[in-house]
mmCIF file of all heavy atoms in Angstrom:
data_model
loop_
_atom_site.group_PDB
_atom_site.id
_atom_site.type_symbol
_atom_site.label_atom_id
_atom_site.label_comp_id
_atom_site.label_asym_id
_atom_site.label_seq_id
_atom_site.Cartn_x
_atom_site.Cartn_y
_atom_site.Cartn_z
ATOM 1 N N ALA A 1 84.856 94.638 105.324
ATOM 2 C CA ALA A 1 84.327 94.883 103.983
ATOM 3 C C ALA A 1 83.250 95.963 104.018
ATOM 4 O O ALA A 1 83.198 96.828 103.124
ATOM 5 C CB ALA A 1 83.771 93.590 103.397
ATOM 6 N N ILE A 2 82.406 95.935 105.030
ATOM 7 C CA ILE A 2 81.376 96.970 105.167
ATOM 8 C C ILE A 2 82.017 98.334 105.391
ATOM 9 O O ILE A 2 81.607 99.334 104.791
ATOM 10 C CB ILE A 2 80.405 96.615 106.315
ATOM 11 C CG1 ILE A 2 79.574 95.387 105.927
ATOM 12 C CG2 ILE A 2 79.510 97.790 106.670
ATOM 13 C CD1 ILE A 2 78.794 94.779 107.072
ATOM 14 N N LEU A 3 83.041 98.382 106.257
ATOM 15 C CA LEU A 3 83.747 99.646 106.495
ATOM 16 C C LEU A 3 84.405 100.160 105.219
ATOM 17 O O LEU A 3 84.402 101.362 104.947
ATOM 18 C CB LEU A 3 84.787 99.468 107.602
ATOM 19 C CG LEU A 3 84.232 99.213 109.002
ATOM 20 C CD1 LEU A 3 85.368 98.901 109.971
ATOM 21 C CD2 LEU A 3 83.420 100.395 109.491
ATOM 22 N N ALA A 4 84.964 99.258 104.420
ATOM 23 C CA ALA A 4 85.581 99.664 103.152
ATOM 24 C C ALA A 4 84.518 100.165 102.184
ATOM 25 O O ALA A 4 84.728 101.161 101.483
ATOM 26 C CB ALA A 4 86.340 98.487 102.538
ATOM 27 N N PHE A 5 83.379 99.494 102.145
ATOM 28 C CA PHE A 5 82.300 99.882 101.241
ATOM 29 C C PHE A 5 81.801 101.295 101.550
ATOM 30 O O PHE A 5 81.530 102.079 100.651
ATOM 31 C CB PHE A 5 81.150 98.880 101.324
ATOM 32 C CG PHE A 5 80.005 99.204 100.420
ATOM 33 C CD1 PHE A 5 80.089 98.929 99.061
ATOM 34 C CD2 PHE A 5 78.855 99.781 100.912
ATOM 35 C CE1 PHE A 5 79.038 99.231 98.213
ATOM 36 C CE2 PHE A 5 77.797 100.080 100.081
ATOM 37 C CZ PHE A 5 77.892 99.809 98.718
ATOM 38 N N TYR A 6 81.688 101.616 102.843
ATOM 39 C CA TYR A 6 81.225 102.945 103.241
ATOM 40 C C TYR A 6 82.355 103.960 103.339
ATOM 41 O O TYR A 6 82.141 105.085 103.813
ATOM 42 C CB TYR A 6 80.449 102.866 104.552
ATOM 43 C CG TYR A 6 79.081 102.263 104.362
ATOM 44 C CD1 TYR A 6 78.783 100.991 104.818
ATOM 45 C CD2 TYR A 6 78.086 102.965 103.694
ATOM 46 C CE1 TYR A 6 77.543 100.428 104.629
ATOM 47 C CE2 TYR A 6 76.834 102.415 103.494
ATOM 48 C CZ TYR A 6 76.562 101.151 103.959
ATOM 49 O OH TYR A 6 75.321 100.599 103.757
ATOM 50 N N LYS A 7 83.552 103.582 102.916
ATOM 51 C CA LYS A 7 84.723 104.457 102.844
ATOM 52 C C LYS A 7 85.040 105.145 104.173
ATOM 53 O O LYS A 7 85.320 106.337 104.224
ATOM 54 C CB LYS A 7 84.557 105.482 101.728
ATOM 55 C CG LYS A 7 84.432 104.841 100.377
ATOM 56 C CD LYS A 7 84.330 105.848 99.271
ATOM 57 C CE LYS A 7 84.192 105.096 97.953
ATOM 58 N NZ LYS A 7 84.175 105.950 96.818
ATOM 59 N N VAL A 8 84.979 104.372 105.244
ATOM 60 C CA VAL A 8 85.350 104.887 106.564
ATOM 61 C C VAL A 8 86.849 105.178 106.536
ATOM 62 O O VAL A 8 87.651 104.327 106.183
ATOM 63 C CB VAL A 8 85.008 103.862 107.669
ATOM 64 C CG1 VAL A 8 85.527 104.325 109.021
ATOM 65 C CG2 VAL A 8 83.515 103.619 107.714
ATOM 66 N N GLY A 9 87.231 106.370 106.886
ATOM 67 C CA GLY A 9 88.637 106.754 106.856
ATOM 68 C C GLY A 9 89.087 107.282 105.503
ATOM 69 O O GLY A 9 90.286 107.385 105.246
ATOM 70 N N GLY A 10 88.141 107.593 104.636
ATOM 71 C CA GLY A 10 88.491 108.138 103.324
ATOM 72 C C GLY A 10 89.004 107.062 102.390
ATOM 73 O O GLY A 10 88.786 105.867 102.592
ATOM 74 N N SER A 11 89.714 107.499 101.359
ATOM 75 C CA SER A 11 90.189 106.536 100.357
ATOM 76 C C SER A 11 91.279 105.623 100.908
ATOM 77 O O SER A 11 91.372 104.459 100.521
ATOM 78 C CB SER A 11 90.688 107.271 99.112
ATOM 79 O OG SER A 11 91.761 108.118 99.437
ATOM 80 N N VAL A 12 92.089 106.126 101.833
ATOM 81 C CA VAL A 12 93.129 105.293 102.439
ATOM 82 C C VAL A 12 92.481 104.221 103.315
ATOM 83 O O VAL A 12 92.853 103.048 103.271
ATOM 84 C CB VAL A 12 94.122 106.147 103.264
ATOM 85 C CG1 VAL A 12 95.098 105.267 104.019
ATOM 86 C CG2 VAL A 12 94.855 107.117 102.371
ATOM 87 N N GLY A 13 91.498 104.619 104.092
ATOM 88 C CA GLY A 13 90.776 103.661 104.934
ATOM 89 C C GLY A 13 90.060 102.613 104.102
ATOM 90 O O GLY A 13 89.985 101.446 104.486
ATOM 91 N N GLU A 14 89.542 103.040 102.952
ATOM 92 C CA GLU A 14 88.873 102.105 102.052
ATOM 93 C C GLU A 14 89.833 101.001 101.617
ATOM 94 O O GLU A 14 89.488 99.819 101.628
ATOM 95 C CB GLU A 14 88.347 102.849 100.834
ATOM 96 C CG GLU A 14 87.662 101.989 99.815
ATOM 97 C CD GLU A 14 87.221 102.773 98.592
ATOM 98 O OE1 GLU A 14 87.569 103.962 98.465
ATOM 99 O OE2 GLU A 14 86.524 102.182 97.759
ATOM 100 N N TRP A 15 91.040 101.372 101.240
ATOM 101 C CA TRP A 15 92.040 100.384 100.824
ATOM 102 C C TRP A 15 92.481 99.489 101.978
ATOM 103 O O TRP A 15 92.591 98.276 101.832
ATOM 104 C CB TRP A 15 93.260 101.074 100.216
ATOM 105 C CG TRP A 15 93.054 101.407 98.783
ATOM 106 C CD1 TRP A 15 92.672 102.604 98.270
ATOM 107 C CD2 TRP A 15 93.189 100.514 97.677
ATOM 108 N NE1 TRP A 15 92.561 102.506 96.913
ATOM 109 C CE2 TRP A 15 92.874 101.245 96.510
ATOM 110 C CE3 TRP A 15 93.536 99.179 97.564
ATOM 111 C CZ2 TRP A 15 92.908 100.666 95.256
ATOM 112 C CZ3 TRP A 15 93.573 98.609 96.303
ATOM 113 C CH2 TRP A 15 93.257 99.358 95.175
ATOM 114 N N ILE A 16 92.735 100.113 103.117
ATOM 115 C CA ILE A 16 93.196 99.334 104.272
ATOM 116 C C ILE A 16 92.135 98.328 104.706
ATOM 117 O O ILE A 16 92.422 97.145 104.890
ATOM 118 C CB ILE A 16 93.594 100.268 105.437
ATOM 119 C CG1 ILE A 16 94.857 101.035 105.071
ATOM 120 C CG2 ILE A 16 93.802 99.480 106.729
ATOM 121 C CD1 ILE A 16 95.225 102.135 106.040
ATOM 122 N N PHE A 17 90.893 98.798 104.877
ATOM 123 C CA PHE A 17 89.821 97.895 105.287
ATOM 124 C C PHE A 17 89.524 96.854 104.214
ATOM 125 O O PHE A 17 89.192 95.711 104.519
ATOM 126 C CB PHE A 17 88.554 98.673 105.653
ATOM 127 C CG PHE A 17 88.643 99.391 106.965
ATOM 128 C CD1 PHE A 17 88.377 100.747 107.048
ATOM 129 C CD2 PHE A 17 88.991 98.723 108.122
ATOM 130 C CE1 PHE A 17 88.449 101.420 108.254
ATOM 131 C CE2 PHE A 17 89.076 99.379 109.337
ATOM 132 C CZ PHE A 17 88.805 100.740 109.403
ATOM 133 N N GLY A 18 89.660 97.234 102.961
ATOM 134 C CA GLY A 18 89.448 96.278 101.876
ATOM 135 C C GLY A 18 90.461 95.150 101.890
ATOM 136 O O GLY A 18 90.109 93.973 101.751
ATOM 137 N N ILE A 19 91.724 95.503 102.088
ATOM 138 C CA ILE A 19 92.780 94.490 102.139
ATOM 139 C C ILE A 19 92.599 93.595 103.369
ATOM 140 O O ILE A 19 92.719 92.374 103.277
ATOM 141 C CB ILE A 19 94.174 95.158 102.136
ATOM 142 C CG1 ILE A 19 94.423 95.794 100.775
ATOM 143 C CG2 ILE A 19 95.271 94.165 102.485
ATOM 144 C CD1 ILE A 19 95.626 96.719 100.719
ATOM 145 N N LEU A 20 92.299 94.211 104.513
ATOM 146 C CA LEU A 20 92.063 93.429 105.724
ATOM 147 C C LEU A 20 90.880 92.480 105.550
ATOM 148 O O LEU A 20 90.917 91.337 106.016
ATOM 149 C CB LEU A 20 91.813 94.346 106.923
ATOM 150 C CG LEU A 20 93.015 95.116 107.450
ATOM 151 C CD1 LEU A 20 92.575 96.100 108.538
ATOM 152 C CD2 LEU A 20 94.076 94.171 107.986
ATOM 153 N N ALA A 21 89.838 92.948 104.864
ATOM 154 C CA ALA A 21 88.658 92.109 104.633
ATOM 155 C C ALA A 21 89.020 90.895 103.795
ATOM 156 O O ALA A 21 88.653 89.764 104.129
ATOM 157 C CB ALA A 21 87.562 92.918 103.945
ATOM 158 N N VAL A 22 89.742 91.114 102.714
ATOM 159 C CA VAL A 22 90.111 90.006 101.821
ATOM 160 C C VAL A 22 90.979 88.989 102.554
ATOM 161 O O VAL A 22 90.733 87.781 102.490
ATOM 162 C CB VAL A 22 90.825 90.540 100.561
ATOM 163 C CG1 VAL A 22 91.447 89.425 99.761
ATOM 164 C CG2 VAL A 22 89.858 91.342 99.705
ATOM 165 N N VAL A 23 91.984 89.461 103.268
ATOM 166 C CA VAL A 23 92.886 88.560 103.990
ATOM 167 C C VAL A 23 92.130 87.782 105.069
ATOM 168 O O VAL A 23 92.286 86.563 105.186
ATOM 169 C CB VAL A 23 94.072 89.341 104.603
ATOM 170 C CG1 VAL A 23 94.877 88.468 105.545
ATOM 171 C CG2 VAL A 23 94.959 89.905 103.502
ATOM 172 N N ALA A 24 91.298 88.479 105.842
ATOM 173 C CA ALA A 24 90.564 87.812 106.925
ATOM 174 C C ALA A 24 89.605 86.757 106.383
ATOM 175 O O ALA A 24 89.523 85.648 106.911
ATOM 176 C CB ALA A 24 89.804 88.844 107.754
ATOM 177 N N ILE A 25 88.893 87.086 105.318
ATOM 178 C CA ILE A 25 87.927 86.132 104.767
ATOM 179 C C ILE A 25 88.636 84.938 104.140
ATOM 180 O O ILE A 25 88.241 83.783 104.358
ATOM 181 C CB ILE A 25 86.988 86.831 103.767
ATOM 182 C CG1 ILE A 25 86.065 87.802 104.522
ATOM 183 C CG2 ILE A 25 86.168 85.815 102.985
ATOM 184 C CD1 ILE A 25 85.234 88.704 103.641
ATOM 185 N N ILE A 26 89.700 85.168 103.396
ATOM 186 C CA ILE A 26 90.420 84.052 102.760
ATOM 187 C C ILE A 26 91.036 83.132 103.809
ATOM 188 O O ILE A 26 90.918 81.909 103.718
ATOM 189 C CB ILE A 26 91.483 84.568 101.771
ATOM 190 C CG1 ILE A 26 90.796 85.153 100.547
ATOM 191 C CG2 ILE A 26 92.444 83.455 101.365
ATOM 192 C CD1 ILE A 26 91.727 85.821 99.565
ATOM 193 N N THR A 27 91.687 83.703 104.819
ATOM 194 C CA THR A 27 92.297 82.849 105.845
ATOM 195 C C THR A 27 91.235 82.138 106.673
ATOM 196 O O THR A 27 91.439 81.013 107.123
ATOM 197 C CB THR A 27 93.239 83.642 106.767
ATOM 198 O OG1 THR A 27 92.511 84.703 107.393
ATOM 199 C CG2 THR A 27 94.421 84.189 106.009
ATOM 200 N N GLY A 28 90.078 82.781 106.874
ATOM 201 C CA GLY A 28 88.997 82.135 107.605
ATOM 202 C C GLY A 28 88.402 80.970 106.840
ATOM 203 O O GLY A 28 88.081 79.936 107.416
ATOM 204 N N ILE A 29 88.274 81.121 105.537
ATOM 205 C CA ILE A 29 87.698 80.053 104.719
ATOM 206 C C ILE A 29 88.675 78.896 104.546
ATOM 207 O O ILE A 29 88.309 77.729 104.667
ATOM 208 C CB ILE A 29 87.246 80.601 103.354
ATOM 209 C CG1 ILE A 29 86.033 81.518 103.542
ATOM 210 C CG2 ILE A 29 86.918 79.475 102.379
ATOM 211 C CD1 ILE A 29 85.624 82.267 102.293
ATOM 212 N N THR A 30 89.937 79.216 104.276
ATOM 213 C CA THR A 30 90.922 78.157 104.027
ATOM 214 C C THR A 30 91.428 77.493 105.305
ATOM 215 O O THR A 30 91.862 76.346 105.276
ATOM 216 C CB THR A 30 92.137 78.696 103.252
ATOM 217 O OG1 THR A 30 92.802 79.688 104.037
ATOM 218 C CG2 THR A 30 91.729 79.257 101.902
ATOM 219 N N GLY A 31 91.397 78.221 106.418
ATOM 220 C CA GLY A 31 91.895 77.664 107.674
ATOM 221 C C GLY A 31 93.400 77.731 107.810
ATOM 222 O O GLY A 31 93.977 77.150 108.723
ATOM 223 N N PHE A 32 94.054 78.454 106.924
ATOM 224 C CA PHE A 32 95.508 78.567 106.967
ATOM 225 C C PHE A 32 95.915 80.026 107.092
ATOM 226 O O PHE A 32 95.455 80.875 106.338
ATOM 227 C CB PHE A 32 96.147 77.978 105.715
ATOM 228 C CG PHE A 32 97.638 78.148 105.678
ATOM 229 C CD1 PHE A 32 98.455 77.340 106.437
ATOM 230 C CD2 PHE A 32 98.229 79.135 104.909
ATOM 231 C CE1 PHE A 32 99.832 77.502 106.428
ATOM 232 C CE2 PHE A 32 99.599 79.305 104.879
ATOM 233 C CZ PHE A 32 100.405 78.487 105.644
ATOM 234 N N CYS A 33 96.799 80.306 108.048
ATOM 235 C CA CYS A 33 97.345 81.645 108.233
ATOM 236 C C CYS A 33 98.864 81.557 108.136
ATOM 237 O O CYS A 33 99.504 80.866 108.932
ATOM 238 C CB CYS A 33 96.932 82.207 109.590
ATOM 239 S SG CYS A 33 97.628 83.835 109.933
ATOM 240 N N GLY A 34 99.430 82.233 107.155
ATOM 241 C CA GLY A 34 100.875 82.216 106.953
ATOM 242 C C GLY A 34 101.635 82.815 108.123
ATOM 243 O O GLY A 34 102.708 82.333 108.497
#
């Protein structure tokens, strides 16, 4: 999420890191990984 916020890798990196952040945090909180 921090990497996405600082736009590491430009706009594409922002999206990739943003999606990875959301997935990692949700799976970490719920304890379930599909």
Side-chain angles (χ1 to χ4, degrees):
I2 292 168
L3 292 174
F5 180 78
Y6 286 108
K7 298 183 181 184
V8 174
S11 61
V12 173
E14 179 183 8
W15 277 98
I16 291 171
F17 286 126
I19 291 168
L20 289 174
V22 169
V23 170
I25 291 171
I26 289 174
T27 58
I29 291 172
T30 63
F32 176 77
C33 177

